[in-house]
């Protein structure tokens, strides 16, 4: 996609920055898609996982998931999983590139893929996996302050930064990926710490 087709200078800048990042074709077991609408005020799509999921129940995530044998790239994994979870067809996504590899709290490596989607895209959440889909305004998120989030570990508490987006707490892996997007695209520096304290 040429930069003249972007509806926002923010998307133009983001596309130019991501195009300069290294590309690593190494197959990863998990990939997610950061889907951003191509409009004057771009929005980022987030998912709230269903409360009865075996893993990451009730947590906010980007659409994505586990690699399958038929996936020929990390991008293919992210696009296939996004289609299954949100109804967004791969043909509706213009991939800008990828962000540096991140790791879930379980240690699993996750490759974030960045793509642009039409603002009028029809969302069909996978009801067995997704409780709701919601949006973050990109311009707001670039400057939005983080707040501490406390995660109960039993005898200890883990404290980490988080974003509050549409009433949902975005922390952990999804928060780190969001912070990486803001750093790579817009020079927003966030110290994404994990401090563990005894109760």
């Amino acid at each position: 996609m040429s930069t003249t087709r972007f509806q926002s200078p923010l998307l133009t800048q983001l596309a130019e920055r991501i195009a300069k990042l290294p590309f690593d074709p190494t197959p990863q077991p998990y990939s997610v898609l950061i889907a951003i609408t191509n409009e004057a005020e771009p929005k980022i799509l987030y998912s709230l996982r269903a409360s009865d999921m075996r893993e990451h129940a009730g947590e906010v995530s980007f659409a994505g998931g586990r690699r399958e044998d038929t996936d020929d790239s990390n991008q293919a994994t992210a696009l296939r999983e996004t289609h299954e979870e949100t109804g967004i067809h791969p043909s509706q996504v213009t991939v800008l590139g990828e962000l540096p590899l991140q790791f879930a709290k379980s240690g699993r490596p996750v490759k974030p893929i960045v793509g642009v989607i039409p603002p009028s895209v029809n969302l069909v959440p996978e009801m067995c996996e997704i409780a709701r889909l919601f949006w973050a305004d990109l311009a707001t998120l670039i400057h939005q302050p983080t707040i501490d989030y406390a995660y109960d570990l039993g005898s200890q508490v883990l404290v980490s930064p988080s974003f509050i987006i549409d009433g949902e707490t975005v922390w952990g892996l999804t928060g780190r990926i969001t912070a990486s997007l803001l750093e790579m695209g817009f020079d927003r520096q966030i110290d994404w710490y994990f401090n563990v304290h005894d109760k």
Side-chain angles (χ1 to χ4, degrees):
M1 179 184 288
S2 68
T3 56
T4 57
R5 293 175 59 190
F6 290 116
Q7 301 301 309
S8 167
L10 292 178
L11 289 179
T12 300
Q13 177 174 318
L14 180 63
E16 291 174 348
R17 295 280 189 90
I18 290 180
K20 296 177 182 178
L21 295 177
F23 172 74
D24 183 0
T26 305
Q28 300 297 338
Y30 294 86
S31 296
V32 298
L33 178 70
I34 307 171
I36 309 175
T37 56
N38 186 15
E39 56 185 327
E41 298 179 355
K43 297 174 179 60
I44 304 175
L45 183 64
Y46 289 86
S47 304
L48 179 66
R49 313 297 292 185
S51 59
D52 57 354
M53 293 284 289
R54 187 180 63 178
E55 295 182 336
H56 309 295
E59 294 184 2
V60 174
S61 68
F62 291 108
R66 185 191 300 269
R67 183 185 188 91
E68 294 187 354
D69 292 340
T70 54
D71 297 333
D72 59 7
S73 67
N74 297 319
Q75 175 181 317
T77 300
L79 294 179
R80 176 185 52 75
E81 286 281 345
T82 297
H83 184 214
E84 294 174 2
E85 294 180 6
T86 71
I88 299 174
H89 194 273
S91 64
Q92 296 176 294
V93 183
T94 298
V95 173
L96 302 183
E98 61 181 43
L99 297 179
L101 192 66
Q102 297 286 344
F103 293 86
K105 57 180 180 283
S106 63
R108 296 170 178 167
V110 178
K111 173 58 71 172
I113 307 297
V114 183
V116 173
I117 60 175
S120 58
V121 67
N122 183 39
L123 298 177
V124 183
E126 170 51 61
M127 301 307 295
C128 293
E129 297 186 28
I130 307 298
R132 66 183 291 240
L133 298 169
F134 61 98
W135 302 95
D137 179 77
L138 177 58
T140 300
L141 196 59
I142 290 172
H143 304 288
Q144 180 176 329
T146 60
I147 64 170
D148 278 354
Y149 173 75
Y151 181 73
D152 192 337
L153 296 173
S155 62
Q156 297 177 310
V157 175
L158 183 152
V159 178
S160 176
S162 71
F163 297 98
I164 303 299
I165 300 173
D166 198 23
E168 305 291 351
T169 301
V170 181
W171 73 290
L173 174 66
T174 306
R176 290 201 310 275
I177 293 175
T178 300
S180 177
L181 176 78
L182 299 181
E183 178 181 359
M184 299 299 166
F186 308 103
D187 299 320
R188 169 83 187 275
Q189 299 287 334
I190 301 175
D191 177 19
W192 207 266
Y193 50 82
F194 289 94
N195 296 328
V196 177
H197 307 281
D198 294 328
K199 287 185 176 178

Short mmCIF file of all heavy atoms in Angstrom, two decimals, residues 23 32 93 118 137 160 166 182:
data_model
loop_
_atom_site.label_atom_id
_atom_site.label_comp_id
_atom_site.label_asym_id
_atom_site.label_seq_id
_atom_site.Cartn_x
_atom_site.Cartn_y
_atom_site.Cartn_z
N PHE A 23 13.09 -8.12 9.42
CA PHE A 23 12.09 -9.16 9.21
C PHE A 23 12.73 -10.51 9.53
O PHE A 23 13.80 -10.83 9.01
CB PHE A 23 11.58 -9.16 7.77
CG PHE A 23 10.70 -10.33 7.45
CD1 PHE A 23 9.40 -10.39 7.93
CD2 PHE A 23 11.18 -11.38 6.68
CE1 PHE A 23 8.59 -11.48 7.64
CE2 PHE A 23 10.37 -12.47 6.38
CZ PHE A 23 9.07 -12.51 6.86
N VAL A 32 0.13 -13.06 16.50
CA VAL A 32 -1.08 -12.25 16.68
C VAL A 32 -1.08 -11.12 15.65
O VAL A 32 -0.03 -10.75 15.11
CB VAL A 32 -1.18 -11.66 18.10
CG1 VAL A 32 -1.26 -12.76 19.15
CG2 VAL A 32 -0.01 -10.72 18.39
N VAL A 93 -6.91 -7.43 4.97
CA VAL A 93 -5.79 -6.94 5.77
C VAL A 93 -4.60 -6.60 4.87
O VAL A 93 -4.17 -7.44 4.07
CB VAL A 93 -5.35 -7.99 6.81
CG1 VAL A 93 -4.22 -7.44 7.68
CG2 VAL A 93 -6.53 -8.43 7.67
N PRO A 118 -10.04 -2.07 6.67
CA PRO A 118 -11.03 -1.03 6.39
C PRO A 118 -11.81 -0.68 7.66
O PRO A 118 -12.10 -1.56 8.47
CB PRO A 118 -11.95 -1.68 5.35
CG PRO A 118 -11.19 -2.86 4.82
CD PRO A 118 -10.31 -3.32 5.93
N ASP A 137 -8.46 4.18 20.39
CA ASP A 137 -8.11 5.27 19.49
C ASP A 137 -6.59 5.44 19.49
O ASP A 137 -5.99 5.66 20.55
CB ASP A 137 -8.79 6.57 19.95
CG ASP A 137 -8.43 7.74 19.06
OD1 ASP A 137 -8.97 7.84 17.95
OD2 ASP A 137 -7.56 8.55 19.49
N SER A 160 2.53 -4.35 37.51
CA SER A 160 3.00 -4.05 36.16
C SER A 160 2.20 -2.89 35.60
O SER A 160 1.06 -2.65 36.03
CB SER A 160 2.85 -5.30 35.29
OG SER A 160 3.20 -5.03 33.95
N ASP A 166 -11.42 1.36 26.87
CA ASP A 166 -12.86 1.03 26.81
C ASP A 166 -13.29 0.21 28.04
O ASP A 166 -14.04 -0.75 27.92
CB ASP A 166 -13.18 0.28 25.52
CG ASP A 166 -14.68 0.29 25.20
OD1 ASP A 166 -15.38 1.20 25.70
OD2 ASP A 166 -15.14 -0.60 24.47
N LEU A 182 3.89 1.37 20.10
CA LEU A 182 4.01 2.82 20.33
C LEU A 182 5.47 3.27 20.28
O LEU A 182 5.76 4.37 19.81
CB LEU A 182 3.39 3.18 21.69
CG LEU A 182 1.90 2.85 21.85
CD1 LEU A 182 1.41 3.29 23.23
CD2 LEU A 182 1.06 3.50 20.75
#
